[in-house]
Amino acid sequence: MLIERPKPITEQVDSLIRQRIRDHTYAPGGRLPSEQELADELGVSRTTVRSALTTLAAERLIIRRQGDGTYVNQRMREVNSQLGGLWDFSNIIQNSGYQTTVQTLYVKYRPADEHAANRLNIPPGVSVLELVRLFFADAQPVVYSTNVIAGKWLAQTESDYETKLALHNFLARYCNQEIAYVISDIGATLPDAETARILQRETDSPLLNFSEIFYNEDNQALALGNNFYDEKRLRLRLIQPWG
Amino acid sequence: MLIERPKPITEQVDSLIRQRIRDHTYAPGGRLPSEQELADELGVSRTTVRSALTTLAAERLIIRRQGDGTYVNQRMREVNSQLGGLWDFSNIIQNSGYQTTVQTLYVKYRPADEHAANRLNIPPGVSVLELVRLFFADAQPVVYSTNVIAGKWLAQTESDYETKLALHNFLARYCNQEIAYVISDIGATLPDAETARILQRETDSPLLNFSEIFYNEDNQALALGNNFYDEKRLRLRLIQPWG
DNA sequence: TAGTGGTCTAGACCACCCT
DNA sequence: GGGTGGTCTAGACCACTAC
């Protein structure tokens, strides 16, 4: 059923260069081989290499200087998030140098309430899967997370889900859906007693609140997120490319 | 002195398409002409058109469907911020459908304190320009903003700055510097008495706090930002492309 | 001056959607 | 089958930097 297709060369080049930056084959602040050298090494055209480099430069992972060369942006080590990944808490914790642990508080089907139904564009009352989890950075609870997935996306109504997956992996495995983009509301709130208890926090210490809707390429709402992030425990530092 | 050069064709095509989306020449949710038609209309190659479309697709302003066509993503109307613009409050207010008003509380030179000096990578005590402003959405105060610019970037030590400019425009006009990227810390804080007074808020209502460092293409710190954003008054909703 | 990245072209072929 | 976007190539020329 599943067709295995070779990934586009540009993506492979993109991945390869990312890998080499991660493992310091290209050192932080160091210089990459020239575009022509990369093209020769990999046996592809310079245009293909440039396509990959353009993506990396857009994220500011590399910096290109005309007449000079292409360099690894060492400042990326200081951040733990980029704008496309502001909802991927496992990754943020990992990027901060901590071990990510996920504790599943509960996972269950329930009828969609008015609010969820509206945002997911489904009739109220139909079944949705609710996934409530707690993310730890090493031993410290950092994010109290609720995700709601519209039942129509779930292939089978099984109950032995691997609940520690990041949401995009969960949607990929159980719904065969890819996230194309996310719309997030960012807020600052004082936690209620329950939230404070779970995060082992006082109720007078404000938390970041992220409320998200996840969409696929066809603009269909896949899932919701509501997350309380304790930025006193884990700094949230992101890079924003401009222009 | 200044060399006037025609902008790259890809950027012109990018701007043109953005303009046509803004003025609904290409309606929300509507379909764009094919890449070949655009290339013919503008007298450029399809590759050039594709380069511009790739940028727009990366921001999710348009959605491309193989075998079908390219469409305007109507969901962009729901958000007020995207990608690299989480610090551009004038723009966020504007995108929300309000009139942006900027009130300059004060602007003055002062010696850099330890904190600012570290972040700007300058010796403590050297002169910096501090710009303290309040942003209104219509008549409501929404953002209490402090910017600090290293004195070395300011061409002349004049005092009749146009202080209502967005920071990137200010840096462009008076420092001849372009922002390449921004590193932001996002937090949730209870305002102190002074901040609450200025934003006409209670001290028990948490605010979003953005603490930023602005860098140019050479990785040099240009300026700092520290902003209190009242997301109870103006929702902060942003789109995050994924993958 | 040599080498780098920046821009742009023309064209080939493929994968996919619609009718 | 015809049209759409997706991928990739080869090559030309330009702008800029380092030496």
Side-chain angles (χ1 to χ4, degrees), chain B residues 14 46-47 50 52 65 67 92 97-99 102 113 118 140 153 160 186 220 230 235:
Chain B
D14 179 297
R46 185 181 156 220
T47 309
R50 276 185 64 75
R65 297 209 188 90
I92 289 172
Y98 298 103
Q99 184 73 32
V102 181
D113 57 32
N118 275 339
Q140 293 242 312
W153 298 114
D160 59 340
I186 304 183
Q220 297 168 305
D230 186 347
R235 185 180 53 202

Side-chain angles (χ1 to χ4, degrees), chain A residues 222-238:
Chain A
L222 298 173
L224 306 181
N226 190 43
N227 301 282
F228 295 96
Y229 184 109
D230 186 347
E231 112 290 347
K232 308 289 188 303
R233 288 218 176 95
L234 185 67
R235 185 181 55 202
L236 182 59
R237 177 170 289 179
L238 65 88

Side-chain angles (χ1 to χ4, degrees), chain A residues 163-226:
Chain A
T163 59
K164 300 195 187 315
L165 293 174
L167 185 64
H168 60 105
N169 290 327
F170 191 96
L171 290 170
R173 181 182 303 182
Y174 298 114
C175 306
N176 201 28
Q177 288 289 320
E178 294 244 330
I179 296 171
Y181 64 94
V182 185
I183 292 182
S184 299
D185 282 14
I186 304 181
T189 59
L190 289 172
D192 59 26
E194 173 72 356
T195 303
R197 186 185 62 75
I198 290 172
L199 281 171
Q200 301 168 25
R201 263 291 175 202
E202 307 76 38
T203 54
D204 60 353
S205 174
L207 301 172
L208 285 173
N209 177 246
F210 297 96
S211 176
E212 299 124 355
I213 309 179
F214 298 84
Y215 293 94
N216 66 11
E217 279 189 338
D218 295 325
N219 268 350
Q220 297 168 306
L222 298 173
L224 306 181
N226 190 43

